[in-house]
Amino acid sequence: MSEPTSTDQDVTRPLTTPVPPADGLRRVASAVFGDLRAIDGALYAAVAATPTPTLDRALRRLSHAADHSKISFAIAGALALGGPRPRRAALAGVGAIAVASASANLLGKRLVRRARPDREAARVTVDRHVPMPTSASFPSGHTASAVAFATAVGTVLPAASVPLGALAGAVGYSRVHTGVHYPGDVAAGAVLGIASAATALALAAARLPASYGGSGRALWGRLR
């Protein structure tokens, strides 16, 4: 009997190639984001496919009225006529809009560059249509500004928090209803809006501690 050759020898080899930890994390993150995008698209399609003729025109008008924060600025103007505390709330709200708008348009949209939804493919009814913006989809600037205003004003003037919060929620939903944003864009805009309000109040507290110090601390306490 011949001696075994080198190819007959038992050689221990790994069954799989080891995956570096960083690559494994990237794969998991990519899979998670893929699932989240699928959920986001499914929610968008569900809203588009649900007939709501009574709401369509109202939400379209609300979405249009929220362009350039027209609703929020009108409310701020009314608050400014109501005395020292409402005036402080209005100034805080306007400052929060400025932070949110800059963060969403100058940072968020340029960094992520998510394409707008395909409204025609989703068959969003024409009664809901507002002009499709040319900017990136993520995050929703309308939502960020509306939530920032509501949060800042509601922190300084608690009596306004519920109605303004409901209005901000309606503005955010209207952007999905009219087909110009995915729900995830709106959720991100809401988070950005809260952070923007906290930032604006912190800056106001640093400049005018006697007027805004307590309000800034109250909002930061809620965010912890």
Side-chain angles (χ1 to χ4, degrees):
M1 181 178 294
S2 61
E3 293 296 325
T5 63
S6 60
T7 57
D8 295 326
Q9 300 290 337
D10 290 335
V11 179
T12 302
R13 293 187 179 91
L15 296 177
T16 58
T17 303
V19 178
D23 289 345
L25 289 174
R26 278 195 292 268
R27 291 182 185 178
V28 171
S30 178
V32 169
F33 280 118
D35 289 347
L36 291 176
R37 281 194 296 269
I39 294 172
D40 207 17
L43 290 173
Y44 177 87
V47 171
T50 303
T52 54
T54 305
L55 294 174
D56 288 346
R57 293 186 179 181
L59 288 170
R60 183 188 66 190
R61 290 171 181 167
L62 175 63
S63 181
H64 180 69
D67 289 347
H68 309 296
S69 299
K70 291 193 294 286
I71 298 176
S72 296
F73 285 129
I75 294 172
L79 288 173
L81 302 176
R85 190 176 183 87
R87 190 176 300 118
R88 289 198 301 270
L91 289 173
V94 171
I97 290 173
V99 175
S101 180
S103 300
N105 295 305
L106 299 180
L107 292 177
K109 292 181 182 293
R110 294 187 179 185
L111 289 174
V112 178
R113 296 185 180 277
R114 186 183 194 184
R116 292 279 174 172
D118 189 340
R119 188 163 55 182
E120 284 66 33
R123 298 182 180 180
V124 177
T125 180
V126 176
D127 283 344
R128 300 183 183 184
H129 282 198
V130 295
M132 180 66 76
T134 57
S135 60
S137 188
F138 184 97
S140 167
H142 284 65
T143 306
S145 294
V147 170
F149 180 79
T151 304
V153 172
T155 301
V156 179
L157 197 65
S161 59
V162 172
L164 290 182
L167 177 61
V171 168
Y173 174 74
S174 75
R175 302 304 285 171
V176 179
H177 195 85
T178 55
V180 298
H181 275 295
Y182 292 103
D185 303 333
V186 170
V191 172
L192 180 60
I194 294 171
S196 298
T199 301
L201 286 171
L203 292 173
R207 295 290 299 273
L208 301 168
S211 298
Y212 292 100
S215 299
R217 287 193 296 270
L219 181 54
W220 279 116
R222 294 179 200 171
L223 297 177
R224 289 175 183 173

